Amino acid sequence: MKLAEALAERADATRRVEQLRARVVSSARHQEGETPPEDASQLLAEAGEVLDRLETLIRRINRTNAATDMGEGGTLTDALAHRDVLRLRHAVVTAAADAAAGSGERGYGRQLRSELVTLSALPVAELRERADVLAREIRETDMRIQRVNWEADLLD
C-alpha cells in the first residue's frame, strides 16, 4: 500500500469514527417503553474496531513519514512540519496586512475633519508580497509532499 492510500484510509476512518460517535450519542438514551433507534452497544463495539484500525494506520504512517527521505529537506516528517509552519506564517502575515490595510473596518476613513486619522503601522504592499511568496512556497512544499506520498510504500 502506498502512503497516499493509507492517508486516504485514515481520513475515511476518522470520518467513520465521528459518524459512529454521533450515532452512539443519539442512541445512548431512550424513553421507557420505546426502543432506541440503534443498538448503542453494537455501535460502540464497531467504533472500537475502527479506532483500533485507525491507531495501526497512524503508527504506520508516522513510521513511514519519519523514515522517508525528501532529499535536502530532510525527512517527510520534516517537510510536514515545515509546511505547517509556512501555513502559520502565511496566516500571520496575511492577518497583519489585512489589519494594516483596515480590512473589516467600517467606513473608509474620516467622515468629519474633527475625527482622528488612522494610519498603517506596517507596509501593506510588502506584507502582501511576502504572503504571496509564502503561498507559493506552501504550494511547492505541498506538491513535493504529495509526490512522495504516492511514491513511498507504507512501512509495517
Side-chain angles (χ1 to χ4, degrees):
M1 174 187 303
K2 295 294 182 185
L3 179 55
E5 294 170 302
L7 292 168
E9 191 174 328
R10 180 185 70 182
D12 288 344
T14 301
R15 280 190 293 277
R16 181 78 178 136
V17 167
E18 184 52 36
Q19 291 168 351
L20 288 167
R21 186 202 62 77
R23 289 169 56 194
V24 166
V25 168
S26 69
S27 300
R29 295 180 58 85
H30 61 92
Q31 290 184 346
E32 184 178 5
E34 292 185 8
T35 56
E38 297 182 84
D39 183 352
S41 297
Q42 180 187 4
L43 292 172
L44 270 176
E46 186 178 343
E49 291 170 11
V50 175
L51 286 165
D52 290 343
R53 175 68 180 143
L54 181 61
E55 181 179 359
T56 300
L57 274 171
I58 291 170
R59 287 172 184 256
R60 292 180 69 193
I61 289 167
N62 288 346
R63 268 195 297 276
T64 304
N65 288 347
T68 302
D69 184 36
M70 295 273 297
E72 68 184 48
T75 65
L76 185 52
T77 299
D78 296 331
L80 292 168
H82 181 64
R83 182 188 62 188
D84 290 347
V85 171
L86 283 172
R87 286 178 176 163
L88 290 171
R89 278 185 208 283
H90 183 265
V92 168
V93 170
T94 302
D98 290 346
S103 297
E105 291 182 12
R106 292 184 306 173
Y108 290 102
R110 298 188 300 176
Q111 298 293 324
L112 304 170
R113 286 183 177 208
S114 61
E115 291 179 328
L116 296 175
V117 176
T118 57
L119 303 172
S120 175
L122 296 168
V124 176
E126 288 177 29
L127 291 172
R128 298 275 187 226
E129 282 181 38
R130 190 178 332 166
D132 290 345
V133 169
L134 287 167
R136 187 185 74 246
E137 194 173 344
I138 291 167
R139 285 190 306 275
E140 290 169 354
T141 302
D142 197 47
M143 284 189 310
R144 288 180 48 234
I145 289 169
Q146 294 302 321
R147 186 178 325 111
V148 169
N149 285 345
W150 283 106
E151 293 171 352
D153 289 319
L154 190 65
L155 299 178
D156 288 325

